[in-house]
Amino acid sequence: MMMFFVLLFLLSHAVAIAESRASHLSSSSSSTIQTTTTEPPLKRQPKPSRERRRRRGMLLTRFHQETENKYVSRCEERWIQQPLSHFSWNSEEEEERGGGEGGGEFKTRYFVCSEFYRKDSPIFLYTGNEANVESYLENTGLMWENAEHFNALLVFAEHRYYGKSSPMSDDDEEDENKNTLNSMEALADYASLVRELREEYEDAVAVIAFGGSYGGMLASWMRMKYPHVVDGAIAASAPIYAFDGENPPVDPNAFARGSTYTAMVSGHGAECPKRIQDAFTLLIDSGDENDKIYLDVLKHTFRACDDIESPYEVAEWAQSALDYIAMGDYPVESGYMLSGKGTLPAWPMKVVCNAMMVDDPNASNSTSLALLENLREAVSIYYNATKTEQCFTIGDPSPNDDTKATEDLWGYQYCSEMFMPMETTGGENDMYWLSSWNETNEFRYCRDAYDVQPRPYFAQETYGGRKMVENFASNIVFSNGMLDPWHLLGVLETSNPRVVLAKIDEGAHHNDLMFSSKDDPTSVKRARLLEVKEIQRWVDEARAMKREKREAAVSVAKYRRNATNKFV
């Protein structure tokens, strides 16, 4: 996303673009596009810009409801009072920040969908991620399509600070008021909500957590941190191994390699990612931000609304689209990655590769201007999904205004707790240009943007990473689509028999959580069947345990009654 989508990154585009300009390019670049058949390896590396961090830190998802309130109207909107911090004792300072009658408290939103619920049945809880919770309610078909079978109560919880669940006022933009925006507080919110639900639905037999992307991370962490609260978790596309402190260490090139793999299996083999890399090589090596003639060529070629200030600005704009297209490489038309504003075609990466394979009959080789035009046409399926754009705002990786709404919030989370080393690109392993992860620059960015110091090991130390999954976790299904660039940062293998893995060969970003379609590949269908099987097992175990406790209570009561009668 994708959260987060949302998003994953985050900031004022003007400042972001300004940072990306400060260059890093060789001063001897030509003002004309080269026509040699083989480009030399890229040597120059751009200073990391906010746009790239916005794309990565953006964890994971950009999405909004595709169907206007089709499912929301079937549910009841509710609110629960939550402390501003579950891990402090409500100091005077916190009370002042909380404001209002609740002092150091505020309200978070959730939806209850009870049409299928019956006594002695489970609660399906969606652990909301970085967006308005209505988005997840409208798109999480796995919950809706199995609710009747399980007679389940569906609950969709909104993540604090996102959607309508913010403790900040509309004009409150100070970063100091975001200091309770983190996953630990969100999980504690969900635990409090479950307690309240258990009191109201006291005959519920189990609670199963669902989540995709950052929400999938939360679902898995919920089961691992609060195993007494949730009985199982479906964690789809959850990159919980994306943090420093893992053994083996996280690979900063993993995401870029994942996008490249999606391009490689989309109809033209290795030739597709090769042409994409050729386009980036041509784009970056043919001039720099001091070459005004070349920048004018780029403005015309990419149909930019405004002047281009650096080739890297165009490259990062195009890369952002390719990454999201890879994440959204679904078998059906979908607006999931576009906030419902327009749709990507079915198998969009195949469309990208077809565009890159178009040859200009007047060109003698693949390094002509036509290669850049092909790249423009390829990414236009993302940036002009509505078919209404007359020009492109280069430097802005958001396809529409809705996807920008929560970027600043996710940026804060990225810089505080969700700090992922993911900026290495280029070389033989992916289709982009050479750029290495630079933690020093990332730290500087976070201090400048949010006045916070990242804690790279926080997530691994707090949630346990591989050691927790291998040695202590239970009743979790980790699903990963091999077409999703995030899959290399997720749980792909385990020796723990209590953890189940679903590798989806033809699956994109938490494809398995979505509503089913006749066009779904067999691997997606099998993943959903596996997940339903595990949910059934968890519910049966919880139901059996409840029955045993009830029978034990009856036996104790009978024994006491007999003992009393004996001595009367």
Side-chain angles (χ1 to χ4, degrees):
M1 234 127 209
M2 19 199 94
M3 188 205 172
F4 170 186
F5 135 226
V6 203
L7 332 138
L8 322 141
F9 319 57
L10 322 196
L11 332 179
S12 166
H13 295 305
V15 177
I17 295 172
E19 283 189 347
S20 68
R21 317 287 181 244
S23 277
H24 351 285
L25 299 174
S26 159
S27 61
S28 61
S29 300
S30 169
S31 62
T32 59
I33 295 177
Q34 303 298 309
T35 58
T36 57
T37 57
T38 304
E39 289 79 22
L42 296 179
K43 301 296 184 183
R44 300 166 296 186
Q45 299 185 29
K47 171 183 172 184
S49 71
R50 277 189 192 174
E51 179 178 321
R52 299 189 70 198
R53 276 184 292 275
R54 186 162 52 239
R55 183 179 62 255
R56 291 291 187 264
M58 195 162 112
L59 230 189
L60 306 76
T61 309
R62 298 190 151 153
F63 84 105
H64 196 67
Q65 55 262 44
E66 294 184 39
T67 306
E68 198 67 31
N69 293 330
K70 179 179 179 181
Y71 290 93
V72 168
S73 61
R74 295 163 61 176
C75 305
E76 177 187 359
E77 183 183 48
R78 297 184 183 181
W79 300 84
I80 179 174
Q81 200 79 6
Q82 300 281 11
L84 202 58
S85 175
H86 293 269
F87 307 103
S88 66
W89 306 114
N90 204 22
S91 67
E92 292 182 3
E93 180 183 352
E94 287 173 4
E95 289 183 9
E96 292 176 1
R97 281 205 305 270
E101 297 180 0
E105 296 184 338
F106 71 109
K107 292 181 178 180
T108 60
R109 184 170 62 144
Y110 66 102
F111 285 86
V112 173
C113 318
S114 59
E115 64 181 283
F116 300 114
Y117 183 68
R118 300 291 183 271
K119 181 180 178 180
D120 200 35
S121 300
I123 296 173
F124 287 177
L125 171 69
Y126 190 93
T127 52
N129 31 317
E130 73 283 27
N132 185 315
V133 72
E134 296 176 38
S135 302
Y136 308 107
L137 192 158
E138 290 289 342
N139 285 279
T140 310
L142 185 68
M143 292 173 65
W144 281 103
E145 292 179 346
N146 290 285
E148 186 171 10
H149 169 76
F150 286 98
N151 295 321
L153 180 76
L154 304 187
V155 179
F156 294 85
E158 190 162 70
H159 194 297
R160 57 170 49 207
Y161 285 77
Y162 293 97
K164 297 181 180 180
S165 297
S166 177
M168 300 193 303
S169 62
D170 293 340
D171 57 353
D172 187 357
E173 297 180 354
E174 295 298 321
D175 293 330
E176 65 183 34
N177 293 316
K178 298 189 183 81
N179 61 4
T180 58
L181 168 58
N182 58 66
S183 58
M184 293 188 306
E185 298 286 3
L187 292 178
D189 288 342
Y190 300 153
S192 295
L193 173 60
V194 171
R195 184 182 65 248
E196 187 169 291
L197 291 169
R198 283 287 203 176
E199 292 174 356
E200 180 178 358
Y201 300 93
E202 58 183 1
D203 53 1
V205 70
V207 178
I208 310 300
F210 293 75
S213 201
Y214 172 48
M217 299 166 78
L218 292 173
S220 68
W221 290 337
M222 187 79 184
R223 171 59 187 169
M224 289 187 272
K225 297 290 280 188
Y226 295 90
H228 56 293
V229 175
V230 297
D231 298 272
I234 303 297
S237 297
I240 64 170
Y241 293 165
F243 302 98
D244 280 333
E246 289 295 341
N247 184 20
V250 60
D251 177 8
N253 189 226
F255 190 93
R257 288 195 292 118
S259 294
T260 302
Y261 172 79
T262 307
M264 188 175 297
V265 298
S266 294
H268 297 279
E271 185 62 23
C272 177
K274 179 183 181 301
R275 290 212 180 185
I276 291 173
Q277 188 174 59
D278 287 347
F280 282 122
T281 301
L282 179 67
L283 170 62
I284 291 171
D285 273 4
S286 297
D288 60 27
E289 78 268 14
N290 298 315
D291 188 338
K292 300 306 180 184
I293 295 177
Y294 179 57
L295 295 180
D296 285 342
V297 171
L298 291 183
K299 179 180 180 180
H300 173 77
T301 302
F302 285 91
R303 297 176 184 168
C305 301
D306 304 306
D307 288 344
I308 301 297
E309 297 185 36
S310 165
Y312 283 106
E313 181 181 28
V314 181
E316 292 175 2
W317 173 80
Q319 182 187 7
S320 182
L322 294 173
D323 286 345
Y324 277 112
I325 289 169
M327 289 170 62
D329 199 30
Y330 303 124
V332 296
E333 289 187 0
S334 174
Y336 186 80
M337 291 291 158
L338 300 163
S339 297
K341 302 299 178 66
T343 60
L344 289 176
W347 301 118
M349 188 58 82
K350 182 175 292 187
V351 178
V352 164
C353 289
N354 288 341
M356 293 305 302
M357 299 303 293
V358 172
D359 290 318
D360 183 348
N362 298 317
S364 60
N365 55 56
S366 63
T367 61
S368 70
L369 191 63
L371 191 58
L372 298 185
E373 293 173 340
N374 288 350
L375 181 62
R376 179 200 67 214
E377 291 303 300
V379 301
S380 69
I381 70 169
Y382 178 76
Y383 288 120
N384 191 22
T386 61
K387 307 295 193 297
T388 60
E389 300 294 334
Q390 300 301 311
C391 61
F392 296 114
T393 305
I394 306 294
D396 181 356
S398 300
N400 55 63
D401 291 339
D402 280 356
T403 63
K404 304 174 188 177
T406 60
E407 288 185 351
D408 187 60
L409 295 172
W410 182 257
Y412 179 86
Q413 282 195 261
Y414 165 69
C415 279
S416 54
E417 60 162 353
M418 294 293 157
F419 193 72
M420 302 180 183
M422 294 184 54
E423 282 301 309
T424 296
T425 62
E428 298 179 355
N429 295 322
D430 67 68
M431 59 191 180
Y432 299 120
W433 63 95
L434 184 62
S435 177
S436 299
W437 167 254
N438 189 320
E439 189 171 271
T440 300
N441 282 348
E442 296 290 326
F443 272 47
R444 183 183 302 115
Y445 155 76
C446 289
R447 288 194 297 270
D448 292 346
Y450 298 102
D451 194 28
V452 296
Q453 177 82 3
R455 294 168 61 183
Y457 299 96
F458 176 83
Q460 198 276 340
E461 291 173 347
T462 301
Y463 300 114
R466 277 185 173 83
K467 286 187 177 180
M468 176 63 77
V469 171
E470 289 300 308
N471 299 308
F472 303 105
S474 65
N475 289 10
I476 303 175
V477 175
F478 286 103
S479 64
N480 283 283
M482 299 299 103
L483 301 180
D484 178 14
W486 291 100
H487 80 270
L488 292 172
L489 297 163
V491 182
L492 297 178
E493 57 184 26
T494 181
S495 59
N496 185 345
R498 297 169 297 175
V499 171
V500 175
L501 306 182
K503 294 184 181 180
I504 311 172
D505 291 338
E506 298 163 294
H509 200 50
H510 49 80
N511 207 159
D512 48 316
L513 288 190
M514 297 180 177
F515 285 94
S516 60
S517 163
K518 63 180 178 58
D519 297 315
D520 285 332
T522 300
S523 59
V524 175
K525 296 177 181 178
R526 287 176 177 168
R528 292 190 182 119
L529 288 174
L530 174 63
E531 289 160 349
V532 170
K533 176 184 175 182
E534 290 302 304
I535 293 169
Q536 186 69 65
R537 182 171 66 83
W538 302 335
V539 171
D540 288 345
E541 288 176 353
R543 188 174 285 126
M545 185 176 299
K546 184 177 181 180
R547 183 169 56 250
E548 289 174 4
K549 288 181 178 180
R550 186 166 53 241
E551 292 172 351
V554 171
S555 297
V556 170
K558 183 177 180 180
Y559 173 80
R560 288 176 177 173
R561 189 166 52 251
N562 291 338
T564 300
N565 292 337
K566 182 177 180 180
F567 291 100
V568 170

